[in-house]
Amino acid sequence: MSKILHLKCLMFLFCIGLSGAALAQEISGTVKDDSGALPGVSVIVKGTSTGTTTDFDGKYNVKAKTGDVLVFSYVGYETQDKTVTGMVMNVTMQSGVALNEVVLIGSRNKSRTSIDTPVPVDVIDMSQIATSGPQTTITEILNYVAPSFTSTTQTVSDGTDHVDPASLRGLGPDQVLVLINGKRRHKSSLVNVNGTVGTGTVGTDMNSIPTAAIERIEVLRDGAAAQYGSDAIAGVINLVLKKATNELTLNVNLGANMSKHSNQYNDGGTDGEKFQLDANYGLDLGDNGGYINFTGSLSTRGATNRSDSMGQPIYTMFDIATRTLGYDNAFAMDPSDLANYVAGLDPTLQTVYDNGVAAGNSFLDIINSDSATFVGDTANSSPISDYELAQRGLTRDDFRMKVGQSKLRSGQFMMNMEIPLDDNGSAFYSFGGMSFRDGIAAGFHRRPAYTDGRANTAALPDGFLPHISSRVIDRSLATGIKGKIGDWDIDFSNTYGVNSFDFTIKNTVNATLGASSPREFEAGGFSFSQNTTNFDLSNFYEDTFEGLNVAFGAEYRLENYQLIAGEEASYSKYDTNGEIVTNYTDASNIVTSYFGEGVPGGAQVFPGYRPENEVDQNRNSYAAYVDLEADLTDAFLLSAALRYENFNDFGETFNWKLSSRYKLSENTAIRGAISTGFRAPDLHQIYFNATATQFVAGIPIEQGTFANNSRLADLLSIPELEEETSFNASLGFTAKIPSAGLKITIDGYMVNVDDRVGITRSYTPSTTEQQEIFDAAAAGAAKFFTNGFDTESRGLDIVIDHKTSIGANGTLNNILSGTFSKTEVKNVKSILGTEILDETLKGYIEDAMPRAKVNLTNNYSNGDWNFMLRNVYFGSVNDPDFRGSTTPVTYGEKIITDLSLTYSFSDNLKLTAGANNLLDVYPDEVPFEGSQYGDQFIFSRRTSQFGFNGRYVFGRLTFVLK
């Protein structure tokens, strides 16, 4: 009976939507200028968030009623308001103002355009970028289009290989808030803990959203925690979804890296092949502007590899003996007998033996005496490895690592809909989607030369290259109703999202199980979910001052973080009887290598999460805000925001923001803002705990990350995590020269963040109780999350936008933008008398990202042809691995060139061909061959301005059916 009642209610609401939509109509037309069609023009129904952008041919479709006002705005042109009088409205834009689109962030005034805002907002139109640009994911696009945004693909960094950490204004990935259609987006379930830019942070996985679903991207480059809540310290990125209807758009994208270093360093060729198929289609819902828009995307990405032949030792004399005598017989031999036996097999080996004896070395040292650190190392040699490679018919190429982008396969779906409920702007809306991403990346090669037995040569005589396979699943759904009560706009919404990350470790072993070890393990994973309920009210008083916008509202947010254990063999250490090692296991039963070292347990490369690691923790918070924005005069705009937020785990916070814009003349203005902000520590940072293998100077270490609330943290007097707090200030200048189609904005800023949450350096046990805790976690060293330091950031953002006509039909748009920033670490706290950040960790924060980035994009259109040329200057970066050493390493600045050509065969078919990194530029190499881990990390894996995949060549076919 209840199901029937629910069905009747839904049918009733649906009928109300249809009846209220009866007076709507689809308005279509073409927008052009003196030179022809204009793509990317913003078309908004005034006073609402309903709108669209023109396609590549300048055409648009939007739902509106007779009497509604459509606002047409575009870079370099005067904004035009047109009253709807019929179903076809063609508009000719006139040269004038630059960058004058209505934006959804930075102001709660629904009619505020990006040029009017008192803080800088970039509006990135996706209609042309998606057609002509080489980049295919959101983070790739932003990295090349938005100078203040930085993101690069990581390598050999566990789960971070499959999620690209991103930052704004040089701050952390967790200090930028991501919205979709103005609603808070949930974060990734992955916390970055392995030696990369953004280590210790939790970002938002923007690559789970298909680019084909996005109409435009708005980037607010200013602190906005007082407006939007936690995380918005560096700024806000808002992804506005498409609303187009009665149009099917298909994109087929093919490409690959065709580079001098593809496949193997200096060999050249092709790798990293990409295929992507996007489909976007929308339908009308009723006749009053309702719509539903679907986007689907399927893609595959091949791996790249920029390593060379393995230059480090591969075998020992023990491996020679196992080949000739058998593993068990060799293991039973005394080191002196084994070394003497192997020496007699070849004069080269006899020389190794004789030199070792003469030097007084132990027999174990003689057995493991290869010492070369790279191919061609003249100061050291590896005669044992060279001999055994020849005997086994192998080469050093067989032991290469996979250093480059991971292999990915993904599918994405996104939906955006709205159903009007009356003629007064009331509507039901919803958007959301789901995605999966399967990735596989390799770790460090487990060579037989490791003396702790992790290569498990009893089962795999030549060792193995382990792989980390991940499955990332992301789901989200937002629903809401909006309407009016009197003159007040009401918006009541609920947004839910969940991200899960599961690991399968392949082509690996649990070395303590010897020859009986499985080769694949389910290692567990984690999940993060977030549910946010918002109630917002706003009213625009047209007759107060020159306009006063009042907004206030409330928010309730519930979060859940889970860490799930893997299968037993993925994390356990077994004894010689096949039993799990405990504190009571007899020392004589511990599995040891031939060299007497304890063999590490768990899946090699990524030990699974243990039952004692499991977490299922919740948090809730509530907030209230008020936001006032007044045009006190035609020239003077003043806005203020206050926000109170209370978290059940660490308490309350109160933040404010003041911002203003003053027009010096019709075409020039100054703007500025000051604000306080905060970021709540993520549940991941509070509760994440695990043990993983990390390589420090090429040496494998079982590194434990202990929860902030753990017993060990308490023993070390590490306090509970609290919120980060910030103070932001910005001052900017804008100028327009309408006759020249030119706009200039210059914005300087400072961001001071106190009590930043980060991951500490490694600590080793110093008491018996600490040692017992370390042993229980199978860890030799420990890290923690704590509020450990402050940062001061300064910067300058410049944008120059120019548009002009060339010839009878040509249009040239030039955009020069740049960011120059600097971040310094201050007031580092200490544990056990030692600062919690070592020089490497400081390097990730201060100078592992380019502090200068300049973008010059030239876009020329003429009839059916479109040409795009983009040059991006990436400033120098310092390698964190060498920071604080006697030989610090800086990788110099580079310029990356993108070029594409698009031809329109008809209104329905376009073909684009081009390249990213046309000139095949690479970062500087790690200068010391001995620091490249045997010629594997020729380019730094700790930092990179733009990655190291080299030239990427692509072709894209776009088909539009209307």
Side-chain angles (χ1 to χ4, degrees):
M1 182 65 183
S2 61
K3 291 183 178 179
I4 296 175
L5 180 60
H6 291 163
L7 181 60
K8 288 181 177 179
C9 291
L10 289 173
M11 291 296 293
F12 176 69
L13 289 174
F14 183 68
C15 291
I16 289 176
L18 291 181
S19 63
L23 299 179
Q25 55 188 345
E26 180 179 276
I27 310 303
S28 62
T30 302
V31 181
K32 61 181 181 179
D33 64 359
D34 295 336
S35 302
L38 275 179
V41 176
S42 173
V43 184
I44 300 287
V45 180
K46 192 170 185 178
T48 75
S49 58
T50 300
T52 186
T53 56
T54 58
D55 63 16
F56 200 75
D57 299 310
K59 299 183 183 300
Y60 74 92
N61 293 277
V62 67
K63 293 295 184 180
K65 303 187 298 292
T66 299
D68 280 349
V69 176
L70 300 184
V71 181
F72 296 83
S73 58
Y74 188 59
V75 172
Y77 295 90
E78 295 286 354
T79 297
Q80 296 190 35
D81 292 0
K82 297 290 186 180
T83 302
V84 176
T85 58
M87 297 182 66
V88 177
M89 296 180 63
N90 297 321
V91 175
T92 299
M93 303 294 286
Q94 303 298 321
S95 295
V97 182
L99 200 58
N100 201 29
E101 287 193 72
V102 175
V103 294
L104 300 181
I105 60 171
S107 170
R108 297 188 188 273
N109 184 337
K110 293 184 178 180
S111 298
R112 186 70 62 196
T113 62
S114 58
I115 200 169
D116 293 331
T117 58
V119 291
V121 178
D122 299 324
V123 180
I124 300 167
D125 169 46
M126 294 293 288
S127 63
Q128 190 163 346
I129 291 176
T131 301
S132 61
Q135 291 77 27
T136 57
T137 67
I138 294 174
T139 54
E140 288 175 342
I141 290 170
L142 289 175
N143 194 42
Y144 278 86
V145 174
S148 57
F149 181 93
T150 299
S151 176
T152 55
T153 299
Q154 307 301 313
T155 185
V156 195
S157 55
D158 294 353
T160 312
D161 281 13
H162 313 297
V163 177
D164 301 336
S167 69
L168 197 63
R169 284 186 161 178
L171 293 172
D174 52 3
Q175 292 170 326
V176 57
L177 175 63
V178 178
L179 310 175
I180 296 185
N181 285 351
K183 306 299 182 183
R184 178 181 286 266
R185 176 74 172 176
H186 60 279
K187 288 188 173 183
S188 169
S189 58
L190 176 73
V191 57
N192 301 314
V193 293
N194 280 336
T196 65
V197 171
T199 189
T201 65
V202 181
T204 301
D205 185 7
M206 287 187 283
N207 288 342
S208 63
I209 304 163
T211 55
I214 300 172
E215 180 178 286
R216 69 180 187 272
I217 301 175
E218 301 170 349
V219 182
L220 169 61
R221 293 180 276 116
D222 195 67
Q227 295 167 287
Y228 301 103
S230 178
D231 305 339
I233 289 178
V236 181
I237 297 174
N238 183 39
L239 309 177
V240 182
L241 300 179
K242 288 182 178 178
K243 305 171 184 177
T245 61
N246 301 316
E247 179 177 299
L248 172 65
T249 301
L250 297 175
N251 278 309
V252 180
N253 192 90
L254 291 169
N257 292 101
M258 299 180 180
S259 172
K260 59 189 175 184
H261 294 318
S262 290
N263 296 310
Q264 183 165 355
Y265 188 77
N266 281 337
D267 276 8
T270 301
D271 63 2
E273 295 83 358
K274 289 184 181 180
F275 169 79
Q276 185 165 318
L277 173 63
D278 299 322
N280 179 267
Y281 179 59
L283 289 172
D284 295 329
L285 295 179
D287 300 319
N288 199 29
Y291 62 86
I292 186 167
N293 185 278
F294 287 159
T295 302
S297 179
L298 296 173
S299 65
T300 61
R301 183 184 80 179
T304 60
N305 195 356
R306 299 296 177 264
S307 68
D308 208 347
S309 303
M310 171 56 75
Q312 291 210 336
I314 296 173
Y315 294 108
T316 68
M317 287 184 173
F318 173 71
D319 301 302
I320 298 175
T322 61
R323 175 179 56 81
T324 57
L325 302 175
Y327 185 88
D328 290 339
N329 290 332
F331 197 91
M333 293 181 72
D334 184 82
S336 60
D337 294 333
L338 188 145
N340 186 56
Y341 163 75
V342 171
L345 297 177
D346 185 84
T348 302
L349 301 177
Q350 186 66 54
T351 300
V352 171
Y353 178 85
D354 293 342
N355 290 340
V357 171
N361 296 332
S362 71
F363 289 109
L364 283 178
D365 287 339
I366 293 172
I367 292 170
N368 183 41
S369 58
D370 275 1
S371 57
T373 57
F374 57 92
V375 174
D377 188 349
T378 56
N380 304 284
S381 61
S382 293
I384 298 171
S385 297
D386 293 338
Y387 169 82
E388 189 61 9
L389 284 169
Q391 296 300 309
R392 301 193 186 200
L394 300 174
T395 69
R396 290 184 174 273
D397 285 350
D398 295 310
F399 295 86
R400 290 175 61 212
M401 291 171 55
K402 294 180 180 179
V403 179
Q405 73 181 15
S406 59
K407 183 178 180 180
L408 294 178
R409 182 182 182 91
S410 68
Q412 301 164 324
F413 170 79
M414 206 74 189
M415 175 274 297
N416 187 31
M417 68 172 290
E418 183 172 307
I419 303 175
L421 300 177
D422 60 23
D423 296 331
N424 198 34
S426 298
F428 168 81
Y429 62 88
S430 181
F431 57 87
M434 68 176 299
S435 71
F436 82 89
R437 183 162 67 251
D438 287 341
I440 188 164
F444 280 74
H445 205 296
R446 267 49 179 177
R447 291 170 281 112
Y450 285 120
T451 58
D452 61 0
R454 66 182 59 232
N456 197 14
T457 54
L460 301 165
D462 298 310
F464 55 94
L465 181 63
H467 287 75
I468 300 172
S469 176
S470 69
R471 167 157 288 190
V472 185
I473 297 178
D474 197 285
R475 299 183 297 273
S476 64
L477 179 65
T479 59
I481 53 175
K482 59 183 180 180
K484 280 184 173 293
I485 298 179
D487 293 330
W488 287 89
D489 292 315
I490 311 293
D491 191 330
F492 193 7
S493 65
N494 189 82
T495 306
Y496 174 79
V498 58
N499 179 276
S500 64
F501 212 116
D502 296 304
F503 294 100
T504 301
I505 314 305
K506 300 180 177 181
N507 194 45
T508 188
V509 297
N510 183 325
T512 59
L513 290 174
S516 62
S517 172
R519 297 302 310 282
E520 184 174 308
F521 303 86
E522 297 297 329
F526 19 76
S527 172
F528 177 73
S529 63
Q530 176 181 281
N531 191 86
T532 306
T533 302
N534 291 96
F535 183 66
D536 303 293
L537 301 93
S538 65
N539 193 359
F540 182 72
Y541 296 92
E542 190 172 354
D543 298 326
T544 303
F545 304 117
E546 296 299 318
L548 170 66
N549 196 81
V550 178
F552 60 93
E555 177 181 284
Y556 178 76
R557 189 162 75 248
L558 178 65
E559 298 173 335
N560 174 262
Y561 174 66
Q562 296 181 31
L563 196 157
I564 301 99
E567 62 178 287
E568 178 188 285
S570 73
Y571 58 80
S572 294
K573 181 175 182 177
Y574 296 92
D575 64 16
T576 55
N577 299 315
E579 301 292 334
I580 296 176
V581 172
T582 69
N583 291 335
Y584 305 103
T585 301
D586 191 283
S588 63
N589 292 330
I590 299 296
V591 178
T592 59
S593 70
Y594 181 77
F595 296 86
E597 299 178 27
V599 176
Q604 278 300 304
V605 80
F606 192 102
Y609 299 114
R610 304 162 176 267
E612 51 266 35
N613 296 139
E614 287 194 314
V615 169
D616 187 356
Q617 292 289 338
N618 297 294
R619 175 169 69 189
N620 67 81
S621 66
Y622 58 85
Y625 73 88
V626 60
D627 192 311
L628 304 175
E629 184 172 287
D631 288 290
L632 299 178
T633 67
D634 287 336
F636 187 32
L637 166 69
L638 182 65
S639 66
L642 300 173
R643 187 180 183 97
Y644 170 81
E645 199 142 353
N646 186 290
F647 288 76
N648 72 308
D649 53 356
F650 70 80
E652 60 186 10
T653 178
F654 181 83
N655 294 278
W656 54 267
K657 181 172 184 175
L658 291 173
S659 57
S660 180
R661 184 222 62 225
Y662 184 76
K663 291 184 179 180
L664 302 173
S665 68
E666 185 63 29
N667 295 316
T668 59
I670 56 174
R671 60 189 181 189
I674 56 174
S675 65
T676 61
F678 81 103
R679 189 190 72 81
D682 292 294
L683 290 177
H684 322 45
Q685 294 174 319
I686 300 173
Y687 297 108
F688 176 80
N689 66 110
T691 301
T693 305
Q694 295 188 11
F695 282 72
V696 180
I699 307 300
I701 296 174
E702 305 309 314
Q703 176 74 63
T705 302
F706 288 80
N708 174 260
N709 63 345
S710 65
R711 171 62 179 158
L712 184 57
D714 184 57
L715 289 175
L716 296 177
S717 300
I718 296 175
E720 293 184 2
L721 288 180
E722 298 180 350
E723 77 276 17
E724 302 174 350
T725 59
S726 67
F727 177 79
N728 296 54
S730 64
L731 181 65
F733 172 78
T734 68
K736 300 175 292 185
I737 307 177
S739 60
L742 185 67
K743 178 199 172 210
I744 302 171
T745 66
I746 302 174
D747 292 279
Y749 65 88
M750 58 166 282
V751 184
N752 294 340
V753 185
D754 293 337
D755 296 322
R756 276 186 65 164
V757 176
I759 199 164
T760 70
R761 70 195 307 155
S762 294
Y763 290 91
T764 54
S766 58
T767 68
T768 301
E769 184 177 1
Q770 290 177 13
Q771 185 65 60
E772 291 175 352
I773 296 173
F774 275 75
D775 291 343
K783 294 182 178 182
F784 307 86
F785 286 95
T786 187
N787 298 93
F789 57 98
D790 305 335
T791 57
E792 294 181 359
S793 299
R794 306 288 185 273
L796 183 71
D797 294 336
I798 302 173
V799 179
I800 302 174
D801 198 314
H802 174 253
K803 190 176 180 71
T804 188
S805 298
I806 298 179
N809 300 309
T811 300
L812 177 64
N813 187 200
N814 307 299
I815 299 177
L816 175 65
S817 57
T819 188
F820 308 89
S821 64
K822 181 180 181 180
T823 295
E824 294 182 286
V825 174
K826 303 282 188 178
N827 304 323
V828 180
K829 297 178 181 178
S830 296
I831 296 176
L832 301 179
T834 304
E835 286 191 350
I836 68 164
L837 298 183
D838 56 25
E839 288 301 316
T840 297
L841 291 173
K842 290 179 182 177
Y844 288 133
I845 300 165
E846 290 189 341
D847 44 28
M849 290 182 287
R851 297 306 177 185
K853 192 167 140 186
V854 180
N855 178 316
L856 175 60
T857 300
N858 313 102
N859 207 304
Y860 175 70
S861 297
N862 193 325
D864 295 326
W865 293 93
N866 178 267
F867 302 84
M868 190 278 292
L869 174 65
R870 178 165 59 220
N871 286 281
V872 182
Y873 167 89
F874 292 90
S876 62
V877 295
N878 296 333
D879 194 324
D881 275 347
F882 297 92
R883 180 177 164 126
S885 70
T886 56
T887 53
V889 173
T890 298
Y891 304 118
E893 61 272 9
K894 303 292 179 182
I895 296 177
I896 303 300
T897 301
D898 293 352
L899 179 67
S900 69
L901 170 65
T902 300
Y903 179 73
S904 299
F905 294 95
S906 67
D907 290 343
N908 306 104
L909 188 64
K910 301 178 184 67
L911 177 64
T912 301
N916 164 242
N917 196 354
L918 178 69
L919 303 180
D920 204 20
V921 175
Y922 277 80
D924 293 342
E925 298 180 8
V926 177
F928 314 114
E929 284 192 288
S931 300
Q932 296 177 350
Y933 193 72
D935 299 315
Q936 302 309 286
F937 297 108
I938 297 172
F939 307 102
S940 174
R941 73 184 184 111
R942 303 301 188 191
T943 179
S944 175
Q945 301 106 307
F946 49 87
F948 47 81
N949 282 333
R951 182 192 299 113
Y952 173 75
V953 179
F954 78 101
R956 181 181 296 118
L957 190 66
T958 302
F959 176 74
V960 180
L961 182 62
K962 299 182 180 180

